[in-house]
């Protein structure tokens, strides 16, 4: 018989909303000037980029690396750790291309957040599959909607 555990959905929803709030309040204001291409200028751009961000980013940053690392190492813990570190390594490469350096505390917070998010997303993937991860990513991306409230 079918049994459904609501705990992963509840945790994904709470962490998605909490992460979105933290990003919107503390990280986005300082990162918007450093990475303007990461922030949609209006609702139309957000609607166009949303499906790509929610679907393909997770595919290329979480699902495919985790699956490949599981086949390579045959160890879930090692594959999870390396998937989280891959996200941090990609962030370092992206930051390295900036013309002005990021402040060390901001970089440390971003790296720690990327590793923790990698662990969380893999956990959601293992407990609830692709749809749960996409739900979490959608909640995180919805923080941009707060920037469009009241703008034409």
């Amino acid at each position: 018989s079918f049994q459904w555990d609501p705990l992963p959905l509840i945790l994904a929803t709470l962490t998605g909303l909490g992460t979105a709030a933290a990003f919107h309040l503390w990280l986005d204001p300082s990162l918007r000037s450093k990475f303007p291409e990461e922030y949609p200028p209006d609702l139309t751009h957000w609607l166009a980029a949303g499906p790509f961000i929610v679907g393909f980013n997770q595919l290329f940053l979480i699902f495919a690396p985790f699956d490949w690392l599981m086949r390579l190492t045959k160890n879930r813990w090692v594959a999870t750790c390396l998937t989280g570190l891959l996200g941090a390594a990609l962030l370092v490469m992206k930051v390295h291309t900036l013309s002005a350096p990021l402040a060390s505390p901001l970089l440390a917070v971003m790296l720690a957040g990327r590793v923790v998010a990698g662990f969380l997303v893999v956990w959601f993937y293992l407990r609830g599959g692709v749809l749960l991860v996409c739900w979490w990513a959608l909640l995180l991306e919805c923080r941009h909607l707060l920037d469009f409230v009241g703008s034409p």
Side-chain angles (χ1 to χ4, degrees):
S1 80
F2 175 74
Q3 293 181 355
W4 180 68
D5 183 15
L7 181 65
L9 179 62
I10 293 168
L11 288 175
T13 302
L14 293 176
T15 59
L17 292 173
T19 305
F23 266 66
H24 184 73
L25 295 174
W26 295 302
L27 284 177
D28 285 347
S30 58
L31 293 178
R32 190 176 299 275
S33 62
K34 306 276 189 221
F35 301 105
E37 69 279 357
E38 296 289 325
Y39 294 90
D42 54 31
L43 183 60
T44 304
H45 285 86
W46 183 83
L47 288 170
F52 178 82
I53 291 168
V54 169
F56 287 113
N57 276 3
Q58 303 308 315
L59 173 66
F60 294 124
L61 293 177
I62 302 296
F63 306 142
F66 179 74
D67 189 46
W68 177 72
L69 289 164
M70 275 296 293
R71 291 172 191 214
L72 184 69
T73 65
K74 305 216 183 321
N75 185 319
R76 185 183 299 174
W77 176 246
V78 171
T80 301
C81 290
L82 290 176
T83 302
L85 290 175
L86 173 70
L90 292 173
L91 179 63
V92 167
M93 287 191 290
K94 184 180 219 173
V95 167
H96 187 67
T97 64
L98 291 175
S99 57
L102 284 179
S104 295
L106 179 60
L107 181 59
V109 167
M110 289 174 60
L111 287 172
R114 185 62 63 105
V115 171
V116 169
F119 278 103
L120 271 176
V121 171
V122 168
W123 189 84
F124 294 148
Y125 179 50
L126 294 173
R127 299 299 182 280
V130 172
L131 289 178
L132 187 62
V133 173
C134 289
W135 170 245
W136 183 85
L138 178 65
L139 290 174
L140 187 60
E141 286 304 310
C142 281
R143 76 185 191 276
H144 298 299
L145 293 176
L146 297 173
D147 297 329
F148 310 135
V149 173
S151 63

